[in-house]
Amino acid sequence: KETTMSHGPLLHALPLTDAALDLQRLGHDTPPPPTLDTLRRLQLRHTQVFAFETLATLLHGPVPIDLPALGRKLLHEGRGGYCYELNRLYLALLQRLGFAVRPLTGRVVMGGPEDALTARTHLLLLVELDDEAWITDVGFGGMVPTGPLRLATEEAQQTPHEDYRLQRLVDGDYLLRAQVAGAWRAMYRFDLQQPAAIDLEVGNWYVSTHADSPFLGQLVVARTGPGVRRTLHNGSHAVHRLGEPSQRQQLRTVDAVLDVLQADFGIRVPEHAALRPTLARLLAQAPA
């Protein structure tokens, strides 16, 4: 069967202490059962609690994705991360809870041609429950799906936010689309080949260091809430409420950006000598 899980996890499950802390952040005092209802609750809460953020790549810093480093950053330091961090921690938690889950990699095509051969720079997860396969993803920034998506249908699927669709392409890939402003827009494409751990390391290295990475030297932040998505791109702050026009504001000062990071995105901003001058340079480049 194409979606059958391999024996033995690619990654070790979260240590018990970090798993307990992770679950507490997600609203659980005790481990929930590995069910579809649990998966729905965990995915939604993860996108609300842990912000997508690129402070590390903004400052051209390293982005380690081993579990001890992820535990320190996301669970103890009050930070967020991008897909290789958020979905890798999420994967380890699901493994600890007993889900049949494995990673997949995808090619982001959002904002470009649907058939563009982009690099495999996105990490997502495949979960199998009661002989059905589901896609779950907590690391796709401002358009992250907030509910798991059934793989075996091309019908529109509701989430707590937008509707999404999965299309099986002629080459065997799957294409994820989201309904945005009345149009179905392509997000990313993926296949079901299981990556090795080194594939994730290489993808993460590309995203965090390559000159063509959209995150290098840039501040990209996103977080969901009930009926709302918040995004920040350098100094451009947007609030998207379901069924309402988006509200956008250009932040003009470093202090305003730092305040929004903490108040709206729940990020404990790290102490770094280059942070304020880097933000000041980005804000100076913004249109008047």
Side-chain angles (χ1 to χ4, degrees):
K1 182 180 176 181
E2 193 173 18
T3 59
T4 298
M5 301 295 159
S6 63
H7 294 289
L10 176 71
L11 304 169
H12 294 296
L14 270 180
L16 281 173
T17 52
D18 278 355
L21 179 58
D22 198 355
L23 286 171
Q24 287 174 3
R25 295 279 302 276
L26 299 176
H28 291 271
D29 292 328
T30 58
T35 64
L36 181 58
D37 184 58
T38 293
L39 188 66
R40 288 188 170 119
R41 292 199 309 271
L42 290 179
Q43 182 169 347
L44 176 61
R45 283 290 295 158
H46 207 291
T47 67
Q48 295 174 340
V49 170
F50 297 104
F52 181 101
E53 54 105 330
T54 62
L55 282 165
T57 55
L58 168 71
L59 300 169
H60 297 262
V63 185
I65 56 173
D66 59 281
L67 285 182
L70 294 179
R72 285 192 302 272
K73 183 180 180 183
L74 277 71
L75 301 177
H76 298 280
E77 296 176 2
R79 293 283 304 283
Y82 56 46
C83 68
Y84 286 101
E85 301 171 281
L86 297 173
N87 275 326
R88 192 158 185 177
L89 183 76
Y90 184 46
L91 168 61
L93 176 64
L94 295 182
Q95 289 177 327
R96 169 62 69 183
L97 294 176
F99 281 93
V101 55
R102 63 180 175 88
L104 301 175
T105 55
R107 306 181 189 275
V108 178
V109 296
M110 184 173 63
E114 292 184 0
D115 58 353
L117 190 61
T118 59
R120 289 179 179 268
T121 58
H122 184 57
L123 174 65
L124 62 148
L125 307 180
L126 179 72
V127 173
E128 196 166 277
L129 287 164
D130 300 324
D131 295 325
E132 279 201 302
W134 298 78
I135 296 301
T136 185
D137 184 351
V138 298
F140 195 60
M143 281 307 300
V144 62
T146 52
L149 303 171
R150 186 167 168 257
L151 189 67
T153 180
E154 295 193 359
E155 299 296 319
Q157 302 185 56
Q158 291 184 334
T159 75
H161 290 76
E162 291 80 9
D163 287 358
Y164 287 78
R165 292 177 60 188
L166 285 165
Q167 179 186 355
R168 183 73 181 271
L169 304 177
V170 293
D171 61 1
D173 280 5
Y174 292 84
L175 177 65
L176 176 68
R177 288 192 177 91
Q179 192 170 40
V180 183
W184 287 102
R185 301 185 183 179
M187 300 287 109
Y188 57 79
R189 56 189 296 163
F190 61 93
D191 61 27
L192 303 182
Q193 178 181 352
Q194 178 164 337
I198 188 60
D199 297 323
L200 306 188
E201 293 288 345
V202 170
N204 179 62
W205 173 83
Y206 180 95
V207 170
S208 62
T209 65
H210 198 277
D212 291 339
S213 170
F215 301 149
L216 195 65
Q218 301 291 311
L219 180 62
V220 182
V221 191
R223 188 184 186 190
T224 73
V228 64
R229 293 181 184 272
R230 300 179 186 275
T231 60
L232 177 65
H233 184 201
N234 296 332
S236 179
H237 181 213
V239 180
H240 313 276
R241 289 186 172 87
L242 296 181
E244 299 180 16
S246 297
Q247 298 175 330
R248 300 181 184 275
Q249 176 189 20
Q250 181 63 45
L251 305 178
R252 294 299 178 184
T253 69
V254 171
D255 285 336
V257 172
L258 296 179
D259 287 345
V260 164
L261 287 174
Q262 296 176 79
D264 287 14
F265 295 97
I267 296 170
R268 193 184 307 161
V269 179
E271 296 287 339
H272 195 291
L275 179 58
R276 295 186 72 93
T278 300
L279 289 174
R281 174 181 53 80
L282 290 176
L283 295 178
Q285 296 170 357

